[in-house]
Amino acid sequence: MAHLEGDLRAPADARFAIVASRWNPRIVDALVESARRTLEGNGVAAARIDVVRVPGAWEVPLACRSLAARGGHAALIALGCVVRGDTRHYEHVADRCAEGLMRVALDHGLPVANGVLAVERHQDAEDRAGGSHGNKGEEAALAALEMTDLLPRLRGGDST
């Protein structure tokens, strides 16, 4: 097989959905804004970007599954923030969210970029939402763009 990788371009008619939790709004809003700017900066018209807000990270996979089943989006970008607390609730939410997002991607053959932060402290989240570690919303949007370009090539064997 030839060397294949995606480019940061989407078909002109491609729609993208950003599915984001409302929990930890200061962090998640920065992720959403960065993802939106990144898509637009790579040629996706603002009118072709849907933003779906859900209560928390736990609800993100279900919303992604519903969007994937409905069709119409080239990729989904999941954004949220789960911060470790004093109980095991953190593991349940973060792990099941990631598993749910992977299941949506595999079941529907649709790129689902996981930008749901799972961090130890609020400072870690700030570092990943525009701080010293960049912005994971941007990274998730770039991954979605690349996979949107790559998957058709993998399915059709086009190596151009």
Side-chain angles (χ1 to χ4, degrees), residues 15-102:
R15 289 193 80 78
F16 290 81
I18 298 170
V19 179
S21 73
R22 289 191 310 268
W23 196 256
N24 290 313
R26 188 166 49 93
I27 299 300
V28 179
D29 290 350
L31 298 173
V32 170
E33 183 55 32
S34 183
R36 185 192 310 262
R37 271 195 322 268
T38 300
L39 291 172
E40 290 176 8
N42 283 280
V44 179
R48 303 207 62 76
I49 302 169
D50 299 317
V51 177
V52 177
R53 296 306 288 251
V54 298
W58 186 259
E59 293 79 21
V60 170
L62 181 58
C64 285
R65 180 176 175 259
S66 295
L67 289 170
R70 187 176 78 179
H73 291 98
L76 307 176
I77 300 165
L79 302 174
C81 179
V82 184
V83 180
R84 184 181 296 281
D86 295 330
T87 67
R88 286 184 27 93
H89 182 73
Y90 164 87
E91 283 89 0
H92 293 301
V93 172
D95 293 348
R96 298 298 106 59
C97 178
E99 290 169 7
L101 293 173
M102 179 58 71

Side-chain angles (χ1 to χ4, degrees), residues 90-124:
Y90 164 87
E91 283 89 0
H92 293 301
V93 172
D95 293 348
R96 298 298 106 59
C97 178
E99 290 169 7
L101 293 173
M102 179 58 71
R103 183 173 160 195
V104 171
L106 294 174
D107 288 354
H108 294 275
L110 182 71
V112 179
N114 183 357
V116 178
L117 304 178
V119 297
E120 297 293 320
R121 304 167 302 128
H122 281 281
Q123 183 61 50
D124 298 330

